[in-house]
Amino acid sequence: MNKEGLCLNYEFALIGYPIKHSLSPWIHERFLQQTELAGSYSIIEIDPEESFQKAVDKLKQSSLNGFNITVPYKEKIMPYLDEIDDQAKQIGAVNTVLCKDGKWVGYNTDGMGYMRALLNKYPEIANNKEQAILLLGAGGAAKGILYALLHHGYENITIANRSLERAHELARANDRIKVVSLEEAETGLASFQLVIQTSSVGMKPYETEQIISLEKINQEAVVSDIVYQPLLTSLLKEAKAYGAKIHFGHSMLLYQAQYAFEIWTKKKPDMTSLDKQLKLELEG
Ligand code: ATR
């Protein structure tokens, strides 16, 4: 540690499987450079065939200052943590761990990162907490975003999902949340000001797929897709064609990382140029 309480050589990592193609090292290495902190961000793949307990024991012996956890271990890591932040507890999944004074503290930066990304691009969304929001999908990603929306004071939320049972389960988070089918979401689309697509539909190699048609979209609406491969998904293409505003998925990736980096180092990297760089990287 130096005089400001900063570590002299940060060690971060990503735990998950498969993660060889993860963009997290790329992002965090740029954060380290930009904040002029010395350190590294490595990849630790844990094959699901291996013992998770053994892998955790090894991690406990390491000198990591913090790590991210991704699929399939976001829930599995929880019993090994000394403390869990309230939002991560509500979501039931952890994607960031701070290792401090021999203790592991768990956080979930996905949803909050998503909100930061969205409000950064469309700050006016913060002015109307009563706007009608349509959440497409009811999986793990939807859950993180839903809790972040509620945390920010948005409650006029409708969840549409292929499996209605899963949508109803998620809707238990707040009395005001409504549930509709994907077909009903399509026909009633004009009443929503913000549409957030949280499923994997439209992701490479199925880039022509679209979870719903946007024929009835309100031109004033913002359509946000968390899929970032391709960057311009079929859904966003259609939204653009109808004159709606669009929000790309790669920014969630960037801002959840920024949140994690802040938890680890208390430094907040500037995102302006990184956003453009990541876009270029993704466009190949
Ligand atoms: P994640 O953690 O990435 O959110 P997940 O928990 O498996 O992944 O959730 C995937 C979401 O995508 C779910 O909402 C799923 O709908 P179901 O709950 O009905 O399965 C949705 N999804 C995946 N493929 C879909 C498809 N072809 N059409 C509609 N929805 C789909």
Side-chain angles (χ1 to χ4, degrees):
M1 292 276 177
N2 68 7
K3 281 180 283 179
E4 298 159 64
L6 292 169
C7 180
L8 295 177
N9 189 32
Y10 281 99
E11 284 180 41
F12 304 128
L14 172 67
I15 282 101
Y17 189 90
I19 47 172
K20 290 245 162 70
H21 300 291
S22 166
L23 287 161
S24 292
W26 186 94
I27 297 171
H28 282 282
E29 275 155 21
R30 268 147 194 86
F31 286 172
L32 284 165
Q33 277 165 16
Q34 198 202 98
T35 52
E36 297 181 338
L37 294 173
S40 60
Y41 187 102
S42 55
I43 285 230
I44 303 175
E45 273 205 323
I46 303 174
D47 191 319
E49 305 277 301
E50 279 174 50
S51 150
F52 189 66
Q53 174 73 54
K54 265 195 192 152
V56 169
D57 289 344
K58 217 165 137 191
L59 282 175
K60 291 255 180 195
Q61 306 296 324
S62 75
S63 45
L64 285 174
N65 301 96
F67 57 93
N68 287 126
I69 314 127
T70 187
V71 190
Y73 303 120
K74 287 187 186 186
E75 286 134 37
K76 214 167 173 179
I77 194 73
M78 295 181 81
Y80 300 95
L81 305 173
D82 298 289
E83 276 171 52
I84 302 175
D85 151 89
D86 281 346
Q87 214 173 109
K89 254 189 228 162
Q90 277 183 325
I91 298 166
V94 160
N95 80 329
T96 300
V97 173
L98 170 69
C99 315
K100 206 170 177 238
D101 308 324
K103 284 198 170 161
W104 280 10
V105 187
Y107 300 85
N108 194 315
T109 70
D110 287 332
M112 295 304 267
Y114 173 80
M115 287 307 294
R116 259 193 193 176
L118 182 72
L119 295 173
N120 184 58
K121 171 94 177 153
Y122 296 110
E124 65 275 17
I125 288 176
N127 301 336
N128 181 7
K129 298 273 157 111
E130 268 307 309
Q131 66 190 280
I133 302 173
L134 175 64
L135 199 62
L136 297 167
K143 197 169 183 183
I145 292 174
L146 176 68
Y147 278 98
L149 284 167
L150 293 171
H151 181 83
H152 279 78
Y154 302 92
E155 290 184 335
N156 188 5
I157 301 169
T158 301
I159 304 173
N161 194 47
R162 183 177 56 182
S163 145
L164 284 179
E165 199 186 326
R166 218 165 163 201
H168 279 293
E169 206 176 296
L170 199 56
R172 286 206 298 229
N174 185 287
D175 289 344
R176 287 189 60 197
I177 301 175
K178 295 172 277 298
V179 169
V180 296
S181 66
L182 291 172
E183 294 73 25
E184 286 166 328
E186 235 170 41
T187 46
L189 202 56
S191 60
F192 295 101
Q193 283 146 291
L194 174 59
V195 177
I196 308 173
Q197 199 300 110
T198 71
S199 82
S200 51
V201 180
M203 196 189 286
K204 259 184 197 165
Y206 305 106
E207 52 261 73
T208 54
E209 287 183 8
Q210 216 174 292
I211 191 160
I212 59 166
S213 147
L214 295 182
E215 212 182 310
K216 298 207 164 64
I217 192 77
N218 177 342
Q219 276 197 1
E220 301 297 310
V222 171
V223 178
S224 173
D225 197 336
I226 69 159
V227 170
Y228 57 84
Q229 274 170 326
L231 213 48
L232 188 64
T233 58
S234 171
L235 188 86
L236 292 184
K237 249 186 234 168
E238 197 187 5
K240 217 173 159 184
Y242 283 121
K245 292 172 232 166
I246 63 169
H247 179 231
F248 291 116
H250 75 290
S251 60
M252 176 178 179
L253 189 70
L254 271 179
Y255 283 81
Q256 63 76 27
Q258 185 199 43
Y259 225 101
F261 194 83
E262 229 178 306
I263 289 169
W264 295 331
T265 67
K266 299 196 172 68
K267 297 237 176 192
K268 190 174 179 178
D270 177 67
M271 308 297 263
T272 332
S273 73
L274 265 181
D275 192 285
K276 284 189 200 117
Q277 277 182 55
L278 182 59
K279 251 178 151 175
L280 285 175
E281 185 87 4
L282 287 166
E283 280 162 352

